[in-house]
């Protein structure tokens, strides 16, 4: 019986490497990575959406500030272990919404149907390929 997996750590040589956040943004944003909106002053993560057909699959690269804070220009960050993440959301309008437009401005994101959505092996293979590409992007040769 296959175990249900919703978050899978991915071994990578980027783990514990230190970079300027600005440099990382310059390297990763053209590849489709975004800094997720739920960052804090000392930590955040880059997300790369892999698929969104009924479930959302992401490669997530967490980072922590080691010099400065994330709201400060020139902050330096340490990358942590990347992982694959899966969530399944309802398609369409949020049927539970009772507060109208005003309430919607505060609660614009609906909860996942299955926050522990399974990650199929095909996506694990894709994740491994994406981690290899990430390493090529951010680790200098030599």
């Amino acid at each position: 019986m296959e175990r249900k997996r919703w978050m899978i750590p991915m071994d990578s040589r980027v783990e514990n490497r230190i970079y300027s956040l600005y440099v990382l943004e310059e390297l990763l944003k053209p590849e489709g990575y975004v800094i997720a909106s739920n960052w804090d002053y000392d930590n955040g993560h880059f997300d790369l959406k892999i698929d969104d057909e009924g479930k959302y699959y992401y490669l997530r690269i967490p980072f922590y500030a080691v010099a400065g804070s994330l709201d400060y220009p020139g902050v330096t960050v340490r990358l942590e272990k990347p992982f694959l993440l899966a969530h399944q959301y309802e398609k369409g309008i949020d049927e539970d919404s009772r507060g109208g437009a005003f309430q919607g401005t505060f609660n614009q994101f609906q909860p996942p149907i299955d926050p522990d959505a399974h990650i199929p092996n095909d996506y694990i293979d894709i994740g491994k390929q994406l981690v290899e590409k990430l390493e090529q992007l951010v680790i200098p040769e030599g």
Side-chain angles (χ1 to χ4, degrees), residues 34-47:
V34 297
I35 293 181
S37 61
N38 56 344
W39 61 273
D40 200 349
Y41 291 101
D42 63 351
N43 66 76
H45 51 267
F46 285 98
D47 280 344

Side-chain angles (χ1 to χ4, degrees), residues 89-117:
Y89 290 86
E90 277 288 352
K91 291 196 178 215
I93 300 172
D94 184 359
E95 301 291 330
D96 246 3
S97 176
R98 292 185 181 90
F102 180 74
Q103 184 69 17
T105 60
F106 295 100
N107 296 324
Q108 60 183 326
F109 301 107
Q110 57 184 298
I113 297 172
D114 181 2
D116 297 333

Side-chain angles (χ1 to χ4, degrees), residues 33 48-50 59 84 125-135:
Y33 286 88
L48 177 64
K49 187 188 298 183
I50 299 171
L59 177 62
L84 290 176
D125 293 338
I126 291 169
K128 289 176 182 177
Q129 293 170 7
L130 291 171
V131 166
E132 286 178 16
K133 186 172 183 180
L134 169 69
E135 291 171 346

Side-chain angles (χ1 to χ4, degrees), residues 13 41 44 46 76 111 113 138 141:
R13 295 180 299 134
Y41 291 101
F46 285 98
T76 302
I113 297 172
V138 302
E141 290 185 32

Side-chain angles (χ1 to χ4, degrees), residues 13 21-23 36 66 72 93 117:
R13 295 180 299 134
L21 182 58
Y22 175 81
V23 169
V66 293
Y72 182 78
I93 300 172

Side-chain angles (χ1 to χ4, degrees), residues 2-74:
E2 192 170 12
R3 209 172 118 230
K4 191 173 192 178
R5 301 164 296 179
W6 65 276
M7 187 181 91
I8 300 174
M10 308 291 290
D11 290 331
S12 174
R13 295 180 299 134
V14 302
E15 189 175 354
N16 293 318
R17 291 191 178 252
I18 295 174
Y19 299 91
S20 157
L21 182 58
Y22 175 81
V23 169
L24 284 176
E25 287 182 284
E26 292 290 307
L27 294 170
L28 297 179
K29 284 186 175 183
E31 300 296 321
Y33 286 88
V34 297
I35 293 181
S37 61
N38 56 344
W39 61 273
D40 200 349
Y41 291 101
D42 63 351
N43 66 76
H45 51 267
F46 285 98
D47 280 344
L48 177 64
K49 187 188 298 183
I50 299 171
D51 197 356
D52 64 358
E53 293 299 319
K55 293 180 184 177
Y56 291 90
Y57 297 101
Y58 291 92
L59 177 62
R60 178 165 283 180
I61 296 93
F63 56 84
Y64 294 87
V66 293
S69 62
L70 298 184
D71 63 337
Y72 182 78

